[in-house]
Structure formats: structure tokens, C-alpha cells
Amino acid sequence: RLPTFAHCSGDEGLRRVVAAGVGSIEHGFFMPEDLLPQLAERRICWSGTWSPVAFMRDNPTISGLDQSAVDGLARILDLHLARTRQAHALGVRLFAGSDAGSWGVPFGAGLHRELDFLHTAGLPLEAVLHAATLAPRQAWGLPGGRIAVGEPADLALFARCPSTDLSALHQAEAVLVEGHWWKPAAQRTA
């Protein structure tokens, strides 16, 4: 099948895209519990993208929301975490995707927040890191994702191990992209 993505939430829309056999669902709020086994069977990926909704919940004044709306968003996020936990237990391929560029979701930091949400949902750190690295490459047949002779290497160097401390991802010491090293300005030497 061709790689396809559906930005979708809600019972009816989610049922339609699962029946159509899309490759990946982005958002998926209000995911019906009975669809999760179908996602696993059909190898449909899911990227939860909590950050835009969490931003509105966490910034009600900016968002123009009253307490009732904030409470509603909290319930939506709690259900999303529960469904994500269930999806992981069933073997659904989960991706980390932040919807970066949406209101209140900066590039980079938005992805870090998504990883925190996956971990809060109960995914072990190994699964969280897999959702941000190898899982999307494998799902879409992209090269790389392994450290081996002849494989492309995009690597990040951290002072602490992200597989034991997720917050280590917030401070890369250096990054190798397509054979070129990048270091933050504070770490560059003449």
C-alpha cells in the first residue's frame, strides 16, 4: 500500500480511516477502544499529538477558555493517555509526532513534550525512544535507523543516557546529520 496519513479524530472519522486502511493516524482523539485491535492487526500507525490540546488546557487565559472547557480538555487528554497505553499493550505501532507549528507547539520542544506524554501513558523509555526514531523509519521503508557499516548515520550525542533519563534529550551535546557535525553555539571552539 502507498504511505497514507489521516489527520483525524472522533468515532466516525476514525472508523472510516481504519476501514480504508490508512498507514497512519495523526491525532486520533476519542479513539474507540474496539478499534485498537484493528490498528494492531492492520499495522496502522498512530501519532497521538497531545501538545496542541495540552497547550490550550495549560493556558486557558490565552486560549480564552473557562474552567469547564479546561476540565473537558483534561478529560480528553486522560482518555488519550489511556487509549495510548492500551494501544501499546496491543502492539499498535506508535509514533512520536508533535504537530509542531500549531499554536503553542514549538519545533523541537513540542517533540520533547510528546515523548513525555508517551512516557506518562506508561510506555517504557525504550518504546518512547523507538516511537521517535526507528519506528517511523521502519513503517515507511526509510533507510537508516541502525548503526552499521554502509548505513546512513544521523546521530545525537548526549551527556546523559536518554534510555534511562528522558530529560537528557533536552540537551544535545552535538548532532551528526548527513556527515556534518553541529554543536550548539555555546560549545563551539575557534
Side-chain angles (χ1 to χ4, degrees):
R1 74 179 170 201
L2 291 174
T4 53
F5 304 81
H7 288 251
C8 183
S9 291
D11 188 277
E12 183 180 349
L14 289 166
R15 290 185 188 285
R16 286 181 182 206
V17 299
V18 169
V22 299
S24 181
I25 296 171
E26 275 55 55
H27 314 304
F29 286 98
F30 310 105
M31 179 68 72
E33 186 174 2
D34 66 295
L35 279 185
L36 296 175
Q38 292 180 51
L39 267 65
E41 284 174 25
R42 296 175 180 209
R43 309 276 299 150
I44 297 173
C45 307
W46 182 18
S47 177
T49 64
W50 288 267
S51 293
V53 176
F55 176 80
M56 291 189 302
R57 178 204 58 198
D58 297 343
N59 298 278
T61 304
I62 295 170
S63 303
L65 302 176
D66 63 16
Q67 190 58 49
S68 173
V70 171
D71 293 344
L73 292 175
R75 286 190 299 276
I76 290 168
L77 290 168
D78 287 345
L79 176 63
H80 212 48
L81 288 170
R83 290 293 185 264
T84 301
R85 184 172 28 263
Q86 292 169 314
H88 174 69
L90 290 170
V92 174
R93 296 187 300 174
L94 299 171
F95 289 172
S98 67
D99 222 17
S102 296
W103 190 36
V105 186
F107 291 91
L111 181 59
H112 290 160
R113 188 151 193 212
E114 290 297 314
L115 298 177
D116 291 337
F117 278 115
L118 287 170
H119 194 236
T120 300
L123 275 68
L125 287 177
E126 182 179 320
V128 170
L129 295 172
H130 185 76
T133 55
L134 190 57
R137 287 180 179 271
Q138 288 176 333
W140 306 122
L142 299 173
R146 311 179 324 137
I147 299 174
V149 174
E151 291 285 331
D154 293 341
L155 307 170
L157 176 66
F158 301 97
R160 296 181 329 276
C161 181
S163 64
T164 58
D165 178 6
L166 196 56
S167 70
L169 291 174
H170 296 274
Q171 291 188 317
E173 298 291 322
V175 177
L176 175 69
V177 178
E178 296 180 359
H180 301 285
W181 282 102
W182 173 87
K183 290 185 179 184
Q187 297 176 5
R188 294 182 192 151
T189 57

